[in-house]
Short mmCIF file of all heavy atoms in Angstrom, two decimals:
data_model
loop_
_atom_site.label_atom_id
_atom_site.label_comp_id
_atom_site.label_asym_id
_atom_site.label_seq_id
_atom_site.Cartn_x
_atom_site.Cartn_y
_atom_site.Cartn_z
N LEU A 22 59.71 -5.47 -7.23
CA LEU A 22 58.27 -5.92 -7.40
C LEU A 22 57.53 -5.04 -8.41
O LEU A 22 56.67 -5.47 -9.16
CB LEU A 22 57.53 -5.86 -6.05
CG LEU A 22 56.17 -6.53 -5.97
CD1 LEU A 22 56.31 -8.02 -6.25
CD2 LEU A 22 55.56 -6.34 -4.58
N HIS A 23 58.00 -3.79 -8.48
CA HIS A 23 57.28 -2.74 -9.33
C HIS A 23 58.25 -2.21 -10.41
O HIS A 23 59.34 -1.76 -10.03
CB HIS A 23 56.75 -1.68 -8.46
CG HIS A 23 55.82 -2.15 -7.37
ND1 HIS A 23 54.50 -2.53 -7.53
CD2 HIS A 23 56.04 -2.32 -6.06
CE1 HIS A 23 53.95 -2.91 -6.43
NE2 HIS A 23 54.88 -2.77 -5.48
N PRO A 24 57.81 -2.20 -11.63
CA PRO A 24 58.64 -1.56 -12.72
C PRO A 24 58.93 -0.08 -12.38
O PRO A 24 58.11 0.56 -11.83
CB PRO A 24 57.79 -1.75 -13.95
CG PRO A 24 56.75 -2.81 -13.65
CD PRO A 24 56.57 -2.76 -12.15
N MET A 25 60.10 0.39 -12.81
CA MET A 25 60.50 1.74 -12.61
C MET A 25 59.44 2.63 -13.25
O MET A 25 59.12 3.71 -12.64
CB MET A 25 61.85 2.01 -13.21
CG MET A 25 62.31 3.43 -13.15
SD MET A 25 63.97 3.69 -13.83
CE MET A 25 63.68 3.30 -15.53
N LYS A 26 58.90 2.29 -14.34
CA LYS A 26 57.94 3.14 -15.02
C LYS A 26 56.71 3.43 -14.16
O LYS A 26 56.19 4.53 -14.14
CB LYS A 26 57.44 2.46 -16.33
CG LYS A 26 56.30 3.18 -17.07
CD LYS A 26 55.90 2.40 -18.28
CE LYS A 26 54.65 3.07 -18.88
NZ LYS A 26 54.17 2.29 -20.07
N ASN A 27 56.27 2.41 -13.42
CA ASN A 27 55.05 2.55 -12.61
C ASN A 27 55.35 3.61 -11.51
O ASN A 27 54.51 4.42 -11.17
CB ASN A 27 54.70 1.24 -11.96
CG ASN A 27 54.16 0.23 -12.97
OD1 ASN A 27 54.35 0.38 -14.15
ND2 ASN A 27 53.51 -0.83 -12.49
N ILE A 28 56.56 3.52 -10.91
CA ILE A 28 56.86 4.44 -9.81
C ILE A 28 56.94 5.85 -10.28
O ILE A 28 56.35 6.74 -9.66
CB ILE A 28 58.22 3.98 -9.13
CG1 ILE A 28 58.03 2.57 -8.58
CG2 ILE A 28 58.69 5.00 -8.13
CD1 ILE A 28 59.35 2.02 -7.96
N VAL A 29 57.62 6.11 -11.37
CA VAL A 29 57.80 7.44 -11.87
C VAL A 29 56.44 8.01 -12.37
O VAL A 29 56.07 9.15 -12.10
CB VAL A 29 58.82 7.45 -13.06
CG1 VAL A 29 58.88 8.92 -13.69
CG2 VAL A 29 60.16 7.10 -12.55
N PHE A 30 55.63 7.16 -13.06
CA PHE A 30 54.37 7.60 -13.59
C PHE A 30 53.41 7.94 -12.50
O PHE A 30 52.70 9.02 -12.51
CB PHE A 30 53.79 6.53 -14.50
CG PHE A 30 52.49 6.93 -15.17
CD1 PHE A 30 52.47 7.85 -16.22
CD2 PHE A 30 51.30 6.40 -14.68
CE1 PHE A 30 51.24 8.18 -16.80
CE2 PHE A 30 50.12 6.75 -15.29
CZ PHE A 30 50.07 7.65 -16.38
N ILE A 31 53.30 7.13 -11.50
CA ILE A 31 52.36 7.34 -10.37
C ILE A 31 52.72 8.60 -9.59
O ILE A 31 51.90 9.45 -9.25
CB ILE A 31 52.33 6.12 -9.46
CG1 ILE A 31 51.55 5.04 -10.16
CG2 ILE A 31 51.63 6.49 -8.09
CD1 ILE A 31 51.64 3.65 -9.39
N THR A 32 54.04 8.76 -9.38
CA THR A 32 54.52 9.96 -8.67
C THR A 32 54.19 11.22 -9.46
O THR A 32 53.81 12.31 -8.93
CB THR A 32 56.05 9.89 -8.43
OG1 THR A 32 56.26 8.70 -7.64
CG2 THR A 32 56.52 11.09 -7.66
N LEU A 33 54.49 11.19 -10.82
CA LEU A 33 54.22 12.36 -11.68
C LEU A 33 52.75 12.70 -11.68
O LEU A 33 52.40 13.94 -11.55
CB LEU A 33 54.72 12.12 -13.08
CG LEU A 33 54.53 13.16 -14.11
CD1 LEU A 33 55.16 14.47 -13.66
CD2 LEU A 33 55.09 12.75 -15.46
N VAL A 34 51.91 11.76 -11.84
CA VAL A 34 50.44 11.98 -11.89
C VAL A 34 50.00 12.62 -10.52
O VAL A 34 49.16 13.54 -10.53
CB VAL A 34 49.66 10.74 -12.17
CG1 VAL A 34 48.14 10.98 -12.08
CG2 VAL A 34 49.97 10.24 -13.62
N GLY A 35 50.50 12.08 -9.43
CA GLY A 35 50.19 12.66 -8.18
C GLY A 35 50.61 14.11 -8.03
O GLY A 35 49.87 14.99 -7.61
N ALA A 36 51.83 14.44 -8.56
CA ALA A 36 52.29 15.76 -8.49
C ALA A 36 51.45 16.72 -9.40
O ALA A 36 51.21 17.86 -9.07
CB ALA A 36 53.79 15.88 -8.93
N ILE A 37 51.06 16.22 -10.61
CA ILE A 37 50.19 16.96 -11.49
C ILE A 37 48.92 17.34 -10.73
O ILE A 37 48.39 18.46 -10.91
CB ILE A 37 49.86 16.17 -12.73
CG1 ILE A 37 51.09 16.11 -13.64
CG2 ILE A 37 48.71 16.78 -13.46
CD1 ILE A 37 50.93 15.13 -14.87
#
Side-chain angles (χ1 to χ4, degrees):
L22 193 62
H23 305 283
M25 177 177 64
K26 173 184 173 179
N27 291 15
I28 295 173
V29 176
F30 183 75
I31 287 172
T32 302
L33 177 57
V34 173
I37 288 172

